[in-house]
Amino acid sequence: MAQFANIIVDISQEKLDKTFQYRVPPRLEKRLEIGMQVYIPFGNRRLTGYVIELTDTAEYDIAKLKEIQGIVSESIPIESHLIALAGWMRQNYGGTMNQALKTVIPVKEKKKVQEHKRVRLAMHPVEAKSELAELIRKHSTARARLLEELLKEQELEWEVITGKLGVSGSVIRAMEELGIVRVVAETKYRNPIKNLKQKGYDITLNEEQQQAVDAVLADYDAGVCGTYLVKGVTGSGKTEVYMELIAHVVAQKRQAIVLIPEIALTYQTVMRFYNRFGDRVSILNSRMSAGERYDQFLRAKNGETDIVIGPRSALFAPFPDLGLIIIDEEHETSYKSETVPRYHARETAIERAKMAEASVVLGSATPSVDSFYKAKSGEYRLLELKQRVREKPLPACEVVDLREELKRGNRSILSDRLTELMEDRLAKGQQIMLFINRRGLSGFVSCRACGHVIKCPHCDVSLSQHSGAKMICHYCGYEQPEPAVCPSCGSKHISGFRAGTQKIELVVRQRFPQARVLRMDTDTTRNKEGHEQILSAFANQEADILIGTQMIVKGHDFPQVTLVGVLAADLSLHVSDYRASERTFQLLTQAAGRAGRGQLPGAVVIQTYDPGHYSIENAKMQDYESFYCQEMEYRSILCYPPVWNMLSVLCASKTEEEVSQGAKRLAEQMEEYIDLHPKGKMYLFGPTDAAVAKVNDVYRKVIYIKAKDYQTLVEAKDGAERFVRGNGDYKDIAIQFDFNPVGGF
Ligand code: ADP
Ligand code: ZN
Ligand code: ZN
């Protein structure tokens, strides 16, 4: 029973940082919870505030602390839910309450939501022209300038007129009074899709789709809120299932959130929702300013929208009566936050749904191992869509062994087989996608003659290249020098694989000078719309070959693509990450799904040094279940999630000595805690260098802990936090926690 409560008095977002501490009177001790709205004395007034933290540590002189007066018990405002959710996130992912609050409550822009004014011509252009002649004759230069411009543009922004044109506001108003122009004010909240045309909707679900919908709704209508995993290949009609569920929820005056990875949030996707639900839909994306996002959240809160679609952060839309959360492409790594709190949108969605008595529907063609495991164990309910709506065969898939190519003297990035098929497609005027699944910085070392990869003897993940010809395991700290020859076959062709998209473009242009080539990677998509531009240029057949990273495997449909080449499938296989095989399987399956979407049959060529690897073999066969079984074997043996849980603790500091010592002592402390801990087994490894051991002159060390039970890890985190808090040795060391890391530190 906590004795003190930290409270934010005003929920206006600029003041989220400021909390006040109050005493919890004994009569409230049992009832008070994080997120609750309470009455408090403030100065000589009585105000309301939100409880954001309950604690036994007084931060001020106890004698001076005032008491909470009571709980505002009427309706629970949406803020309470979100604050409670922030409390849950802080507890389960670490970090401070303020960091958690800032994640769930959108930041209001400092300046007020501006009224957006535009000026239009109010008379017929012919009339306006004679008016213009008159103004010129009278030497009313400012008025003439505005009218002349309006004759060209029909409509101008107020700011453009007063700025660039140098025409004052009073001149505009005067012309408005004369009936020459009209000033129109835009609505307060910007709705990014309000100018679209709604097409209407007529699709009847097929039997499988209807069964999935019925299963969810039977529970929903009975007041049972579960989590469902819809597993169905691309094109099996998952999106239609989502929309049917949303329609049901919205008809009952409740609201829905749809999470879609940003990269898949294309114009087509948005239009499908818009065609069915009109402007009750609002869209969020990361290109929006804080103010634009805030507007959308206000619309949600005020009941102006029923559906919010967006990436991870859309999860926190302040809907007053949330009924449904959809997470499409639930396996995507972008659902895990890379900043504190490092929350996973899937777990957080389930928690939010629990608070709101809402349902959660996850969807994917290649579910994450985590989710499929939970579906198998009955925690989620599995719903499968086995057929594609328009019966189209999956493309034929070939695997090319790059070791054989090398033996035959072909050192190019393009295998003979891929080159041959490319020639064929180019001759037929069909399109090609070349895909390299490169990710992150961590370089592994492999033998180009036999495919051998240098791995950690203890962790079965690849060792990472570090400066000084060193190789390090990021899970246990094992270290060895980089070998000069392959330990397996003795070949000298052992090195890090370094080819990027640019290099590939060069090779392709040399080999096929007549082909039109587009490249898509972080370089070519840096500007705002770059990503969408390249994809639509390719969709419009302005190029024959599209080269890119994993960005190109999602989003658009390219009916003319009949060949997909995966250049080095192993690249994503050997990053030092226990999820590497899962990631590879997903990427390959998705890349393969890009070929043959139109009338023409497609082919896929997967080039690899490791053709026997189960993630590649199963991707070739498009066999999810078989992949899953083999992957689970590996995860069980090595105690990785989802069988076990894992926590990484990052320690970072400007001084190497300080962080080494601090991390070491923290590890010892945690080890001691583990020994004393009565609950189940835990293992601790490290500290070891982080994957990126130094960033901006800040040194980074990581400690890893594995435990069967998630809660055990949460307790270990609490213990670490207690140890570090107020400990002078740690005042210059930043500590971060990451539960079941994706990618990791
Ligand atoms: P997924 O989300 O699984 O990739 P979609 O929902 O996008 O699948 O469906 C693929 C295509 O099939 C879309 O163009 C969609 O409009 C269409 N479609 C889906 N279900 C039906 C149906 N029951 N009847 C007709 N067309 C459908
Ligand atoms: Zn070798
Ligand atoms: Zn190791």
Side-chain angles (χ1 to χ4, degrees):
M1 293 301 117
Q3 301 176 56
F4 308 102
N6 294 332
I7 289 175
I8 34 174
V9 175
D10 184 343
I11 192 96
S12 84
Q13 285 63 27
E14 305 96 79
K15 292 189 185 146
L16 279 182
D17 277 336
K18 188 123 185 73
T19 66
F20 295 89
Q21 197 166 53
Y22 285 83
R23 241 195 337 241
V24 180
R27 71 192 156 85
L28 295 182
E29 260 183 10
K30 286 211 177 70
R31 284 169 58 203
L32 207 59
E33 281 171 30
I34 287 176
M36 276 187 174
Q37 200 179 8
V38 291
Y39 292 114
I40 40 166
F42 196 80
N44 46 20
R45 290 181 295 166
R46 176 165 124 137
L47 296 179
T48 61
Y50 294 90
V51 177
I52 63 159
E53 202 161 11
L54 291 167
T55 169
D56 281 323
T57 326
E59 281 164 20
Y60 308 95
D61 182 358
I62 296 180
K64 285 191 186 147
L65 287 182
K66 293 183 191 165
E67 242 180 30
I68 293 174
Q69 295 169 333
I71 295 171
V72 184
S73 55
E74 299 92 288
S75 68
I76 296 174
I78 177 60
E79 281 83 1
S80 290
H81 275 296
L82 291 173
I83 289 168
L85 188 63
W88 179 87
M89 287 164 74
R90 197 212 73 74
Q91 180 61 21
N92 282 276
Y93 300 111
T96 66
M97 191 60 192
N98 277 332
Q99 286 168 321
L101 277 175
K102 292 223 155 110
T103 309
V104 303
I105 295 181
V107 185
K108 186 151 80 182
E109 252 175 1
K110 289 283 181 291
K111 65 176 180 337
K112 268 182 60 190
V113 184
Q114 265 184 357
E115 210 189 29
H116 197 72
K117 282 183 297 197
R118 294 163 169 276
V119 180
R120 285 184 197 153
L121 208 54
M123 50 173 53
H124 194 274
V126 178
E127 231 181 308
K129 276 193 190 125
S130 61
E131 185 68 35
L132 176 61
E134 182 65 16
L135 289 173
I136 293 171
R137 200 182 55 80
K138 286 197 283 188
H139 300 289
S140 303
T141 46
R143 295 182 183 197
R145 200 157 60 236
L146 172 57
L147 193 51
E148 199 175 354
E149 206 60 29
L150 276 177
L151 271 163
K152 273 189 269 171
E153 304 284 336
Q154 277 83 50
E155 187 181 285
L156 289 167
E157 312 236 335
W158 181 277
E159 287 76 21
V160 171
I161 299 170
T162 53
K164 216 172 97 201
L165 286 183
V167 175
S168 72
S170 55
V171 169
I172 304 175
R173 289 297 179 198
M175 287 175 75
E176 188 182 24
E177 271 168 33
L178 291 171
I180 301 171
V181 302
R182 192 167 28 159
V183 180
V184 285
E186 291 272 271
T187 42
K188 257 196 338 249
Y189 309 124
R190 291 154 278 200
N191 179 357
I193 59 167
K194 71 173 179 318
N195 292 321
L196 301 180
K197 247 194 140 120
Q198 194 180 353
K199 273 217 209 82
Y201 177 81
D202 65 342
I203 274 183
T204 318
L205 297 187
N206 66 29
E207 212 178 300
E208 271 188 336
Q209 288 171 314
Q210 193 60 51
Q211 276 170 6
V213 168
D214 290 346
V216 178
L217 291 187
D219 286 353
Y220 184 87
D221 289 338
V224 178
C225 297
T227 302
Y228 307 84
L229 175 61
V230 179
K231 177 175 177 292
V233 291
T234 322
S236 60
K238 294 186 293 300
T239 310
E240 296 298 332
V241 169
Y242 306 152
M243 291 201 288
E244 193 65 26
L245 294 171
I246 293 168
H248 186 85
V249 166
V250 168
Q252 299 185 353
K253 301 265 173 286
R254 297 182 76 186
Q255 301 88 37
I257 292 171
V258 183
L259 301 187
I260 292 182
E262 178 119 33
I263 209 157
L265 190 59
T266 58
Y267 182 73
Q268 281 117 311
T269 316
V270 169
M271 278 316 286
R272 286 178 69 183
F273 282 91
Y274 188 77
N275 281 335
R276 179 138 184 198
F277 299 107
D279 55 13
R280 302 297 294 176
V281 176
S282 101
I283 312 288
L284 292 176
N285 65 49
S286 65
R287 295 192 299 266
M288 286 177 164
S289 66
E292 286 170 320
R293 263 173 51 96
Y294 186 73
D295 285 358
Q296 297 312 311
F297 274 28
L298 270 192
R299 294 178 72 219
K301 193 179 153 186
N302 297 340
E304 288 175 42
T305 58
D306 300 319
I307 303 157
V308 164
I309 305 178
R312 192 174 67 221
S313 61
L315 178 58
F316 306 112
F319 280 132
D321 191 10
L322 183 66
L324 177 66
I325 303 172
I326 308 267
I327 305 183
D328 193 26
E329 311 275 359
E330 66 85 30
H331 61 276
E332 277 295 312
T333 50
S334 62
Y335 285 126
K336 178 84 191 272
S337 169
E338 284 175 354
T339 51
V340 180
R342 295 175 161 256
Y343 68 97
H344 199 298
R346 194 194 309 127
E347 297 157 358
T348 311
I350 291 169
E351 185 62 23
R352 177 159 188 203
K354 218 187 278 170
M355 293 173 179
E357 294 178 24
S359 302
V360 178
V361 173
L362 314 170
S364 175
T366 50
S368 62
V369 168
D370 293 347
S371 292
F372 202 66
Y373 179 74
K374 291 196 166 134
K376 291 235 155 188
S377 72
E379 198 174 328
Y380 304 163
R381 178 145 172 218
L382 184 63
L383 304 167
E384 287 191 83
L385 303 179
K386 293 199 165 131
Q387 324 147 13
R388 290 186 150 185
V389 173
R390 301 193 194 98
E391 295 288 344
K392 242 173 259 145
L394 289 164
C397 201
E398 296 176 42
V399 172
V400 171
D401 187 342
L402 288 172
R403 297 169 302 185
E404 295 298 322
E405 297 285 315
L406 190 71
K407 267 190 212 155
R408 275 189 281 132
N410 176 16
R411 293 177 174 227
S412 164
I413 304 169
L414 304 174
S415 65
D416 292 343
R417 177 63 180 152
L418 183 57
T419 309
E420 179 191 327
L421 287 173
M422 285 174 76
E423 270 165 1
D424 173 73
R425 300 308 194 259
L426 288 172
K428 289 180 182 154
Q430 297 170 358
Q431 288 182 303
I432 301 163
M433 287 170 95
L434 295 182
F435 164 65
I436 179 158
N437 46 351
R438 177 173 193 74
R439 191 164 80 99
L441 303 162
S442 70
F444 64 95
V445 169
S446 68
C447 171
R448 299 193 65 187
C450 77
H452 182 82
V453 174
I454 312 293
K455 287 189 168 185
C456 172
H458 313 294
C459 304
D460 203 24
V461 296
S462 341
L463 295 177
S464 291
Q465 277 181 305
H466 279 242
S467 53
K470 236 177 9 178
M471 306 205 63
I472 296 183
C473 170
H474 292 306
Y475 283 174
C476 74
Y478 171 85
E479 202 181 302
Q480 69 170 54
E482 216 175 283
V485 296
C486 172
S488 172
C489 76
S491 162
K492 283 192 308 245
H493 295 292
I494 183 157
S495 65
F497 193 101
R498 288 259 172 255
T501 41
Q502 245 164 322
K503 172 82 187 295
I504 294 162
E505 181 182 1
L506 210 72
V507 172
V508 169
R509 282 186 190 280
Q510 270 166 4
R511 182 65 187 73
F512 303 102
Q514 78 285 14
R516 297 165 303 164
V517 180
L518 272 175
R519 173 166 63 93
M520 186 158 113
D521 53 25
T522 42
D523 283 342
T524 58
T525 56
R526 201 154 286 157
N527 70 340
K528 262 189 164 190
E529 260 82 41
H531 171 245
E532 190 89 14
Q533 262 167 20
I534 294 171
L535 289 175
S536 55
F538 191 61
N540 294 333
Q541 308 209 44
E542 289 162 31
D544 306 302
I545 303 174
L546 175 62
I547 299 168
T549 50
Q550 50 262 35
M551 284 181 195
I552 66 173
V553 303
K554 315 214 172 81
H556 279 238
D557 252 348
F558 303 109
Q560 291 302 317
V561 171
T562 56
L563 175 63
V564 170
V566 182
L567 294 177
D570 326 33
L571 279 192
S572 60
L573 199 50
H574 301 305
V575 292
S576 54
D577 178 354
Y578 71 88
R579 294 177 203 263
S581 304
E582 174 178 3
R583 192 80 189 120
T584 303
F585 176 78
Q586 286 163 349
L587 284 170
L588 293 180
T589 312
Q590 277 163 10
R594 289 283 109 191
R597 305 280 287 229
Q599 298 308 313
L600 306 160
V604 182
V605 175
I606 298 174
Q607 302 188 153
T608 173
Y609 291 98
D610 197 356
H613 193 281
Y614 62 93
S615 67
I616 292 173
E617 273 189 332
N618 288 314
K620 179 188 168 197
M621 306 305 291
Q622 309 258 334
D623 191 341
Y624 181 88
E625 293 268 349
S626 160
F627 166 76
Y628 173 82
C629 288
Q630 290 178 63
E631 179 67 7
M632 282 304 291
E633 230 166 84
Y634 159 75
R635 303 266 181 114
S636 313
I637 291 169
L638 289 157
C639 303
Y640 286 126
V643 188
W644 282 52
N645 288 284
M646 201 163 150
L647 167 65
S648 38
V649 185
L650 176 77
C651 304
S653 164
K654 292 237 181 239
T655 358
E656 192 170 14
E657 178 60 22
E658 188 176 37
V659 75
S660 297
Q661 284 304 317
K664 199 157 156 268
R665 246 175 299 114
L666 181 60
E668 282 161 8
Q669 174 68 26
M670 292 179 89
E671 191 96 61
E672 222 167 87
Y673 171 80
I674 288 168
D675 287 341
L676 296 172
H677 207 276
K679 259 196 231 162
K681 262 193 252 167
M682 277 205 272
Y683 298 113
L684 184 142
F685 310 85
T688 162
D689 279 352
V692 189
K694 189 174 151 192
V695 181
N696 283 334
D697 290 319
V698 171
Y699 295 87
R700 295 148 51 92
K701 299 271 178 198
V702 192
I703 303 164
Y704 291 98
I705 306 165
K706 290 179 189 171
K708 191 101 200 165
D709 173 40
Y710 193 99
Q711 214 45 45
T712 313
L713 290 178
V714 170
E715 283 164 30
K717 173 214 67 174
D718 289 344
E721 274 180 341
R722 271 196 303 275
F723 176 68
V724 169
R725 193 184 303 136
N727 184 333
D729 294 346
Y730 289 88
K731 77 179 191 320
D732 294 323
I733 303 179
I735 311 271
Q736 266 189 41
F737 299 92
D738 194 358
F739 286 85
N740 293 337
V742 172
F745 293 113

